[in-house]
């Protein structure tokens, strides 16, 4: 399993978070079912986890400090229109894209994980390719400004042009691609980035195995109202193998998980 060296260091807090997220209210179920098992973590003592109440209500066993530590994990960064990143966000990248990729790199750790995942898929006779990865905030600004200008040329006002452009191209700093942890994947059987990818062997393989390499389906159908992004079966996000296992087991999308963790880090008692 990729990045297995992380497991010993984080095992105890991650098991606590697993218990928390499994009972958290309002979680959004993921679209994929998985063959891969959640990593085996050492058991906590009986007194360290509170037992579920009669109707499945459980207080969080996670301390504020533990929750904050998970939030501080750089692989768990939340990037969206309500959580933009700055232009000076530090990114070290490595090439892992296909020959036809538009943006061929990801953050180095994510690139290594993807290449390991791609090799594993190939052993199973499945061809998974990285078609679009890291885009700098400045590059994102160029895309957004070009699209805005397109609508200005159509006669829209400045405000209307920017609003219309934002429905197609995320404003700078608001795209997950700007952090270098998001990958648009495809395969020779379906090269376009659209929902048709969900009908491919590559997508089915990813649903069963991507977790082991630290990737999650970032924008599943059931989470559209939370993420604000329509279903994107081609868009996969690197969070690290242990975090991916937690998110998938809990059924929480990244927004939901971060919201729960923030409440605990602020000292609130979270019950399901």
């Amino acid at each position: 399993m990729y990045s297995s060296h992380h497991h010993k260091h984080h095992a105890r807090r991650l098991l606590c978070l697993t218990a928390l997220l499994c009972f958290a209210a309002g979680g959004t179920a993921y679209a994929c079912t998985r063959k891969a098992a959640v990593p085996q973590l050492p058991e906590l003592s009986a007194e360290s986890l509170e037992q579920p109440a009669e109707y499945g209500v459980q207080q969080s066993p996670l301390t504020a400090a533990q929750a904050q530590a998970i939030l501080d994990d750089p692989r768990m960064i939340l990037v969206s229109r309500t959580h933009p990143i700055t232009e000076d966000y530090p990114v070290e990248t490595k090439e892992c894209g296909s020959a036809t990729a538009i943006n061929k790199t990801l953050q180095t750790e994510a690139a290594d994980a993807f290449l390991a995942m791609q090799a594993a898929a190939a052993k199973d006779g499945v061809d998974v390719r990285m078609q679009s990865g890291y885009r700098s905030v400045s590059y994102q600004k160029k895309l957004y400004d070009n699209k805005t200008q397109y609508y200005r040329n159509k006669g829209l006002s400045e405000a209307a042009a920017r609003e219309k452009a934002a429905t197609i191209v995320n404003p700078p700093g608001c795209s997950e691609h700007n952090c270098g942890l998001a990958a648009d994947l495809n395969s020779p059987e379906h090269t376009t980035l659209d929902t048709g990818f969900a009908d491919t062997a590559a997508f089915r393989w990813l649903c069963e195995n991507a977790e082991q390499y630290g990737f999650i389906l970032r924008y599943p159908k059931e989470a559209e109202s939370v993420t604000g992004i329509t279903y994107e079966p081609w868009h996969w996000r690197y969070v690290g193998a242990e975090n991916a296992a937690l998110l998938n087991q809990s059924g929480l999308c990244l927004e939901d998980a971060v919201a729960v963790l923030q409440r605990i880090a602020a000292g609130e008692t979270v019950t399901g």
Side-chain angles (χ1 to χ4, degrees):
M1 181 176 293
Y2 183 78
S3 296
S4 59
H5 66 281
H6 289 296
H7 289 266
K8 289 183 180 179
H9 182 68
H10 296 300
R12 188 164 295 274
R13 70 173 175 83
L14 290 175
L15 186 56
C16 287
L17 181 58
T18 302
L20 162 69
L21 297 184
C22 285
F23 287 94
T28 304
Y30 276 81
C32 287
T33 56
R34 299 169 293 104
K35 176 176 65 179
V38 173
Q40 294 298 308
L41 304 177
E43 291 186 4
L44 298 178
S45 60
E47 61 273 14
S48 63
L49 283 177
E50 297 185 48
Q51 295 301 312
E54 182 179 357
Y55 296 106
V57 176
Q58 175 172 324
Q59 289 191 340
S60 167
L62 206 64
T63 67
Q66 289 170 324
Q68 189 61 55
I70 298 170
L71 289 170
D72 290 340
D73 185 338
R75 300 170 302 174
M76 287 285 285
I77 184 172
L78 178 60
V79 182
S80 67
R81 293 190 188 177
T82 55
H83 296 83
I85 61 174
T86 60
E87 190 166 349
D88 60 354
Y89 175 80
V91 180
E92 293 184 2
T93 62
K94 178 178 179 177
E95 187 169 319
C96 61
S98 67
T100 58
I102 301 170
N103 308 106
K104 299 180 184 293
T105 68
L106 293 172
Q107 278 199 38
T108 301
E109 181 179 337
D112 287 339
F114 171 76
L115 291 171
M117 181 170 71
Q118 184 181 53
K123 288 182 179 180
D124 289 340
V126 177
D127 192 343
V128 178
R129 301 184 182 183
M130 206 284 285
Q131 189 62 24
S132 184
Y134 170 65
R135 300 196 293 258
S136 67
V137 175
S138 60
Y139 181 76
Q140 188 75 25
K141 183 178 186 301
K142 180 181 178 180
L143 294 177
Y144 177 69
D145 288 347
N146 287 346
K147 187 61 68 174
T148 299
Q149 185 60 51
Y150 171 82
Y151 287 114
R152 285 197 202 100
N153 295 342
K154 293 286 187 180
L156 273 65
S157 67
E158 178 69 20
R162 289 193 173 278
E163 183 178 355
K164 183 70 173 177
T167 65
I168 300 172
V169 178
N170 274 315
C174 298
S175 169
E176 273 212 326
H177 289 282
N178 298 156
C179 71
L181 297 172
D184 289 340
L185 307 181
N186 67 1
S187 67
E189 61 180 313
H190 192 90
T191 58
T192 55
L193 301 177
D194 58 34
T195 55
F197 183 62
D199 298 322
T200 66
F203 179 74
R204 291 189 292 272
W205 190 94
L206 288 166
C207 285
E208 295 178 342
N209 299 280
E211 171 190 294
Q212 299 179 64
Y213 302 91
F215 287 88
I216 60 170
L217 177 64
R218 181 64 178 89
Y219 301 121
K221 284 181 181 179
E222 293 82 359
E224 289 180 350
S225 63
V226 179
T227 65
I229 304 294
T230 56
Y231 177 45
E232 293 190 355
W234 65 89
H235 185 110
W236 293 75
R237 163 66 191 271
Y238 182 74
V239 293
E242 64 276 27
N243 292 327
L246 289 175
L247 290 168
N248 284 345
Q249 181 178 333
S250 71
L252 297 179
C253 65
L254 188 58
E255 282 82 359
D256 279 337
V258 167
V260 170
L261 289 166
Q262 287 175 335
R263 290 173 59 193
I264 297 170
E268 296 183 33
T269 298
V270 178
T271 59

